[in-house]
Amino acid sequence: TTATLHTSLSALSMRQRVTANNIANISTPNFHAGKVSFEGALQQALASGGDPADVSATVGVSLEPTREDGNNVNLDEETISSTDTQLRYQTSLRALDNKYSLLKDVIRGGA
């Protein structure tokens, strides 16, 4: 569980950086948005009994259509992605915190 949460937090952090970069370059001619993916690889590792720590996020280039200036950043999509990523990050962080709290209680003798 801990390795899965750490992998998820790392990948979500990367997604937030890529999303921020996309938004920062919304007016840059010929800029193509980056897209971070890791969920499928993480699910596959978990389903096959693999080590989730071996999963790494990948950054690909968005294949969405471009505007006249060659840029394909969509502010609505990036805003939704940013909000979704932030909520997932907070949820994963809370789950990791709860796991560590549980371990701390066990170490203290369940008190």
Side-chain angles (χ1 to χ4, degrees):
T1 305
T2 303
T4 302
L5 290 168
H6 279 285
T7 299
S8 180
L9 286 168
S10 176
L12 289 167
S13 178
M14 177 187 287
R15 180 174 287 155
Q16 195 65 27
R17 288 190 305 274
V18 169
T19 300
N21 185 54
N22 291 344
I23 292 170
N25 284 287
I26 198 164
S27 298
T28 303
N30 298 314
F31 180 83
H32 291 106
K35 298 293 179 191
V36 175
S37 60
F38 71 95
E39 290 91 348
L42 186 57
Q43 285 179 339
Q44 187 175 13
L46 292 172
S48 67
D51 186 358
D54 292 337
V55 173
S56 58
T58 58
V59 180
V61 176
S62 172
L63 300 176
E64 294 295 319
T66 60
R67 298 186 305 266
E68 289 181 19
D69 65 355
N71 186 307
N72 71 348
V73 176
N74 180 320
L75 184 58
D76 292 337
E77 284 183 25
E78 299 301 328
T79 302
I80 290 169
S81 176
S82 179
T83 302
D84 179 68
T85 302
Q86 184 178 13
L87 291 171
R88 289 174 187 253
Y89 190 91
Q90 288 173 354
T91 302
S92 296
L93 196 57
R94 187 169 295 130
L96 190 60
D97 185 50
N98 288 341
K99 178 153 178 70
Y100 285 139
S101 292
L102 181 63
L103 289 173
K104 185 173 73 174
D105 287 346
V106 169
I107 290 169
R108 288 184 178 170

